[in-house]
Amino acid sequence: MEKLTQKELNALISLLDDTDMEVKTHVRDRIIALGSDVIPFLEKKWEDSFNPEIQKEIEELVHFLQFDLLKHRLKDWKNSPDQDLLAGLWILNTYQYPDLEFEKLNADMHQIYFEVWTAFRNDLQPYEQVRIINSVLFNQLRFSANTKNFHSPGNSMLSNVLDTKKGNPISLAAIYLLVAKKLGIPIYGVNLPNLFVLTYKSKDITFYINAFNKGLVFSRQDISNYLEHLKIDAREEYFEPCSNEDIIARFLRNLVVAFEKLGEVEKVEEAKEMLAIVSP
C-alpha cells in the first residue's frame, strides 16, 4: 500500500470537491490505492468537515473501500478449505454493518449455543434432541418467522436476526445449523425451491426440519408432496445436504430480491457481484 503523510492526505481530501473532473478522478484513485487502512482517517475527516460535497465524496470512497474489502474476504472464504459458515455469514453481514467484528457475532452465537447446551442431553433419541433445540430456540429464546417483513434485507444479516429474533427460512435455519454443529449433531441445510429447510441425517435415520415453522419435523414424502404441489420435478439435491457455499449463495440471492423489491438498483448490482464470487 502506498504511504502518505497526514499532510498529504489532508491535501488530497481538500481536492475532493474540485470542479475539474480530471483532478477529482485522480484524487479518488490515489485514495483508493491506499486501501482499507485509510477508512478510519476518511471517517474522521467526514466528521470534521462542514462541506457537504466533500462529505458525499468521502461517503462514496468509504463505501467503495469497504465493499472492496468485503469482496476480498469473500474470495478468501470461497477458496478456504473449510468454508466456515459463521465466517461467511459475518462477511455478508459486513455489507450493511461494516464495523461488526467477527468476535461479536461469534460471542452472540455462543450464548445461544450455551442456552441450548444446558438443556441438551446426548443420550436422547434424535427426535427428542430436536424437540429440545426447538423448545429453547422458539419457545425460550423466542426466535420466529418474520412474516411481516419477509423480503427485508435485514433477514439476510445474521446480527439483525439475532437482535430482532425474527428471520426468514434460511437465516433461522442457519442459526439452528450453527447450534447443531457445535452440539455435534448431524444436521445439515437442504436447498429446496422457495424454502430452505434442514435435515437430520445419520446412517440410521433421516428426517427434515422447518426452522421457519418453529422446527416442524417432516418426512421425505412431505418434500415430494411439496414439489408436486409446486409442479417441480423431484431432484436428489432437494433431499440431500447442501454445502456452506450453497447456503451463502442462497443468502445472497435473497438479498438480490430484497433490494430489487426496494428499488435499490446499486445494491442489487453489488449483491449480484457478491453472488458471482461464491456461486459454483
Side-chain angles (χ1 to χ4, degrees):
M1 188 188 84
E2 183 183 2
K3 293 286 185 185
L4 294 179
T5 66
Q6 182 106 345
K7 188 176 179 182
E8 288 171 324
L9 280 169
N10 285 328
L12 275 178
I13 298 293
S14 68
L15 291 170
L16 280 172
D17 66 342
D18 198 290
T19 52
D20 187 329
M21 280 308 298
E22 195 172 326
V23 171
K24 188 183 284 192
T25 300
H26 175 70
V27 168
R28 283 177 59 89
D29 290 346
R30 286 287 303 279
I31 293 172
I32 287 168
L34 297 172
S36 59
D37 288 349
V38 80
I39 290 174
F41 176 82
L42 291 174
E43 289 175 333
K44 181 70 169 64
K45 293 303 291 183
W46 185 94
E47 290 172 7
D48 294 342
S49 176
F50 293 98
N51 183 331
E53 182 65 28
I54 285 182
Q55 284 185 321
K56 182 173 178 294
E57 289 289 337
I58 290 174
E59 286 168 15
E60 290 177 1
L61 279 167
V62 168
H63 177 70
F64 180 92
L65 288 166
Q66 286 171 337
F67 187 53
D68 194 54
L69 176 62
L70 184 158
K71 287 187 290 183
H72 277 100
R73 284 172 171 163
L74 207 52
K75 285 171 188 171
D76 288 343
W77 181 87
K78 159 95 172 174
N79 295 325
S80 65
D82 60 337
Q83 293 187 339
D84 180 75
L85 180 58
L86 185 59
L89 291 172
W90 166 69
I91 294 165
L92 174 55
N93 212 137
T94 61
Y95 180 68
Q96 288 203 300
Y97 302 95
D99 295 330
L100 177 72
E101 297 287 345
F102 174 79
E103 289 71 21
K104 170 71 167 65
L105 205 57
N106 190 36
D108 289 346
M109 277 306 310
H110 185 78
Q111 184 58 41
I112 293 168
Y113 157 74
F114 181 76
E115 298 286 347
V116 176
W117 177 78
T118 54
F120 195 75
R121 281 173 44 199
N122 286 316
D123 59 342
L124 293 175
Q125 293 299 308
Y127 287 106
E128 279 301 300
Q129 291 180 334
V130 165
R131 188 185 63 76
I132 288 173
I133 298 173
N134 290 347
S135 178
V136 176
L137 289 183
F138 305 116
N139 296 333
Q140 182 182 322
L141 298 179
R142 298 187 177 280
F143 280 97
S144 64
N146 192 353
T147 50
K148 285 186 179 177
N149 295 299
F150 185 81
H151 292 293
S152 167
N155 289 327
S156 295
M157 301 290 136
L158 186 59
S159 67
N160 188 69
V161 177
L162 295 179
D163 286 343
T164 63
K165 302 291 182 74
K166 291 187 180 296
N168 61 9
I170 193 168
S171 58
L172 293 174
I175 292 168
Y176 204 115
L177 198 54
L178 289 164
V179 169
K181 184 183 177 186
K182 281 180 78 76
L183 289 168
I185 304 174
I187 288 178
Y188 311 94
V190 178
N191 233 338
L192 273 180
N194 301 339
L195 182 65
F196 191 90
V197 296
L198 300 164
T199 181
Y200 185 108
K201 188 176 180 67
S202 68
K203 65 181 191 325
D204 301 317
I205 188 169
T206 297
F207 58 88
Y208 299 86
I209 305 159
N210 185 354
F212 196 63
N213 190 6
K214 297 187 175 181
L216 176 74
V217 171
F218 59 102
S219 68
R220 183 183 178 98
Q221 185 57 50
D222 290 320
I223 291 182
S224 296
N225 295 342
Y226 169 77
L227 294 169
E228 191 178 327
H229 176 73
L230 291 178
K231 296 182 171 55
I232 293 173
D233 291 338
R235 296 186 346 211
E236 199 54 32
E237 67 189 77
Y238 297 150
F239 302 92
E240 294 297 321
C242 65
S243 68
N244 288 344
E245 191 176 297
D246 292 328
I247 293 172
I248 296 299
R250 179 110 181 210
F251 263 91
L252 284 164
R253 281 193 290 273
N254 284 347
L255 204 55
V256 169
V257 172
F259 288 138
E260 282 175 344
K261 289 187 176 295
L262 291 171
E264 300 265 15
V265 179
E266 288 181 10
K267 290 183 177 181
V268 168
E269 292 309 309
E270 287 177 338
K272 286 180 177 177
E273 272 190 70
M274 292 186 276
L275 180 58
I277 291 170
V278 298
S279 292

